[in-house]
């Protein structure tokens, strides 16, 4: 575990160096945007497939699929992407390290869409049984954070567990080989490991027990935001539109739906698994996001407090070395308040 922490610390430290040269690397902003995304199963994948951003904004849009939240942060810091999606944990780590980004849209309240699954036959029945076992997850992710929270609650030291830094596709390969005993991950990988494993606890359950909730979000580099205000207003309107369509018409988002097929295509999930996976998340309306319950309210915003609490826990675990007095420097409700 000490080695893992040192590797992650060196990785995050490298981000700081990248930030110092980011202005030289970022491409000129001329109606072009590069968006980094992961394999999360969320409604806005349909907007990607339907090219709604291109049609509504007139921008040239390039999508880059990226394997983890930590890599999203690195890409934002270097200027390789302008907008990226990740969980609250990697964004908390990034803001702590001085990466100039702003969280501007709550992609989802993770709820039960992330879960700690143990392999059938592993002998693990409780969190305490994880001592001496191998758990795979992406470092600096929301699942990494919640794993540490869950272990702490069960009185298990991270030193007594082998935590491996693997991305979802690598987790599936390790699971298939029998190299790991457990994983804390999201769909589509979550759906696959559930077939031969048992859910021990979900992020939603951890949040209810501890008050330490997690969420996925979109963040934008401050450099891009400064020069592309109108684009971002249009972008959040599109995000709002597809989320609302899903929430209001869930029955129509079935396996025969082009929208579900688009989500499957962009996330790498199986079409038949998408409806159930979408149902595990809670999608927050712009009206809710603009209040202090999420992005509004400055220091009092729930998202700001969540990032601060996450950063404090990551520091306590030795994963990051510094925290900030105010995480509202990395959160804004500027564009959600403009949604029509």
């Amino acid at each position: 575990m000490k080695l893992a922490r040192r590797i992650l610390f060196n990785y995050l430290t490298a981000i700081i160096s990248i930030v110092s040269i980011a202005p030289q690397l970022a491409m000129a902003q001329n109606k072009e945007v590069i968006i980094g995304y992961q394999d999360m199963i969320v409604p806005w994948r349909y907007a990607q497939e339907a090219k709604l951003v291109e049609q509504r904004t007139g921008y040239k849009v390039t999508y880059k699929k990226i394997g983890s939240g930590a890599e999203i942060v690195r890409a934002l810091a270097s200027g390789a992407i302008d907008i990226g999606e990740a969980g609250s944990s990697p964004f908390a780590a990034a803001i702590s390290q001085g990466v100039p980004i702003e969280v501007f849209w709550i992609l989802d309240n993770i709820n039960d869409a992330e879960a700690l699954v143990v392999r059938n036959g592993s002998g693990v029945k409780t969190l305490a049984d994880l001592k001496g076992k191998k758990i795979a997850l992406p470092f600096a992710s929301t699942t990494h954070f919640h794993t540490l929270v869950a272990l702490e609650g069960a009185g298990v030291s991270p030193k007594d567990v082998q935590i491996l830094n693997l991305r979802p596709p690598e987790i599936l390969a390790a699971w298939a080989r029998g190299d790991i005993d457990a994983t804390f991950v999201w769909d589509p990988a979550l759906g696959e490991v559930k077939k031969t494993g048992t859910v021990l606890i979900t992020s939603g359950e951890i949040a209810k027990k501890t008050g330490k909730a997690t969420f996925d979000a979109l963040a934008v580099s401050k450099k891009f935001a400064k020069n592309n205000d109108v684009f971002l207003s249009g972008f959040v309107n599109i995000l709002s539109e597809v989320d609302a369509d899903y929430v209001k018409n869930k029955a129509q988002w079935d396996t025969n739906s082009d929208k579900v097929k688009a989500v499957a295509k962009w996330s790498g999930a199986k079409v038949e698994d998408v409806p159930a996976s979408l149902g595990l998340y809670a999608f927050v309306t712009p009206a809710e996001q603009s209040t202090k319950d999420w992005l509004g309210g400055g220091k009092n915003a729930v998202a700001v407090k969540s990032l601060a609490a996450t950063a404090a826990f990551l520091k306590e675990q030795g994963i990051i070395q510094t925290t900030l007095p105010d995480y509202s420097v990395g959160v804004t409700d500027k564009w959600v308040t403009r949604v029509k």
Side-chain angles (χ1 to χ4, degrees):
M1 189 60 188
K2 287 183 178 178
L3 177 60
R5 288 177 182 166
R6 188 162 61 249
I7 291 171
L8 181 59
F9 173 63
N10 291 339
Y11 177 73
L12 291 172
T13 301
I15 289 176
I16 299 176
S17 344
I18 293 172
V19 170
S20 66
I21 63 170
Q24 303 168 39
L25 298 177
M27 74 174 199
Q29 304 305 319
N30 183 25
K31 299 202 75 173
E32 295 185 8
V33 61
I34 302 175
I35 301 175
Y37 72 100
Q38 296 189 66
D39 55 3
M40 301 166 189
I41 296 177
V42 288
W44 98 272
R45 298 285 172 257
Y46 170 68
Q48 293 175 262
E49 176 67 14
K51 299 186 182 299
L52 296 184
V53 181
E54 296 92 320
Q55 293 170 15
R56 305 280 182 84
T57 68
Y59 272 53
K60 175 185 175 182
V61 182
T62 300
Y63 291 106
K64 289 187 176 181
K65 191 171 185 179
I66 297 176
S68 70
E71 291 172 289
I72 286 283
V73 167
R74 181 172 63 180
L76 280 166
S78 69
I81 62 174
D82 305 302
I83 295 171
E85 62 181 44
S88 45
S89 185
F91 282 143
I95 295 168
S96 299
Q97 298 296 321
V99 180
I101 57 174
E102 289 180 299
V103 171
F104 69 93
W105 178 261
I106 301 299
L107 197 59
D108 58 68
N109 180 349
I110 287 174
N111 203 23
D112 293 330
E114 294 182 352
L116 175 55
V117 180
V118 295
R119 178 187 300 283
N120 292 340
S122 64
V124 178
K125 303 296 182 183
T126 68
L127 289 167
D129 295 333
L130 288 170
K131 288 183 179 179
K133 301 295 185 180
K134 294 180 180 179
I135 306 175
L137 48 80
F139 274 15
S141 66
T142 49
T143 59
H144 190 185
F145 169 59
H146 262 177
T147 295
L148 297 176
V149 171
L151 290 175
E152 181 184 57
V156 178
S157 169
K159 296 178 182 178
D160 295 329
V161 179
Q162 296 184 60
I163 300 179
L164 307 177
N165 181 19
L166 298 178
R167 295 175 296 180
E170 297 164 343
I171 288 172
L172 288 179
W175 186 273
R177 292 192 302 266
D179 293 346
I180 54 177
D181 304 296
T183 180
F184 205 142
V185 72
W186 51 86
D187 278 321
L190 176 59
E192 290 300 311
V193 297
K194 280 180 178 178
K195 294 175 182 177
T196 53
T198 302
V199 173
L200 199 59
I201 196 167
T202 70
S203 283
E205 291 168 341
I206 292 170
K208 287 176 185 176
K209 288 181 179 180
T210 67
K212 296 174 180 177
T214 55
F215 58 86
D216 292 317
L218 283 162
V220 61
S221 76
K222 290 185 177 181
K223 179 181 177 67
F224 181 85
K226 181 179 179 181
N227 299 320
N228 296 275
D229 179 73
V230 174
F231 167 82
L232 287 163
S233 292
F235 184 46
V236 294
N237 269 283
I238 294 167
L239 294 167
S240 172
E241 180 182 310
V242 291
D243 275 4
D245 183 76
Y246 168 71
V247 172
K248 294 175 183 177
N249 306 291
K250 288 184 181 180
Q252 296 176 22
W253 285 62
D254 59 22
T255 53
N256 295 316
S257 162
D258 288 341
K259 294 172 182 177
V260 165
K261 290 175 182 176
V263 173
K265 172 185 172 180
W266 284 82
S267 66
K270 294 178 181 177
V271 173
E272 59 268 28
D273 295 337
V274 169
S277 295
L278 284 169
L280 295 173
Y281 290 101
F283 299 101
V284 190
T285 68
E288 293 173 299
Q289 292 198 35
S290 63
T291 70
K292 68 178 183 180
D293 288 341
W294 286 101
L295 300 175
K299 279 187 176 183
N300 295 318
V302 167
V304 171
K305 291 180 178 179
S306 176
L307 291 170
T310 302
F313 191 84
L314 293 176
K315 182 182 178 183
E316 179 185 318
Q317 296 294 325
I319 293 172
I320 61 175
Q321 301 303 304
T322 59
T323 57
L324 303 180
D326 180 9
Y327 280 79
S328 65
V329 296
V331 175
T332 181
D333 65 349
K334 181 177 182 179
W335 295 289
V336 293
T337 58
R338 300 180 189 172
V339 173
K340 299 174 184 177

